[in-house]
Amino acid sequence: MINIFLNGEAIILEKHCTLGDFLKIQSKISGNYAVALNKKFIARADYEHTVLNNQDHITIIRPMQGG
């Protein structure tokens, strides 16, 4: 088992998986967003190649509108 953090919330995973797989199983993540892994931006093209490790911190950043 590995522990990761999604926007500060602790999540326990049964096994290592890719960032892409993790995002697919998280039903609360949809729409447009960017992802930072351990404070480093991850390009969408790299989601399927980025393996999550114990104590990783994932931050979901959503676009904001304003003016």
Side-chain angles (χ1 to χ4, degrees), residues 5-23:
F5 298 88
L6 175 61
N7 290 346
E9 178 184 336
I11 297 176
I12 298 172
L13 299 176
E14 293 293 319
K15 60 181 181 172
H16 291 273
C17 66
T18 66
L19 178 60
D21 290 337
F22 175 77
L23 294 172

Side-chain angles (χ1 to χ4, degrees), residues 13-41:
L13 299 176
E14 293 293 319
K15 60 181 181 172
H16 291 273
C17 66
T18 66
L19 178 60
D21 290 337
F22 175 77
L23 294 172
K24 288 175 191 171
I25 62 172
Q26 293 298 311
S27 59
K28 59 186 171 184
I29 301 173
S30 63
N32 294 324
Y33 56 87
V35 177
L37 179 62
N38 301 321
K39 298 184 180 182
K40 181 181 176 188
F41 171 75

Side-chain angles (χ1 to χ4, degrees), residues 2 16-20 37 46-53 56:
I2 64 169
H16 291 273
C17 66
T18 66
L19 178 60
L37 179 62
D46 294 330
Y47 290 179
E48 296 303 322
H49 307 289
T50 303
V51 177
L52 297 178
N53 295 298
D56 275 348

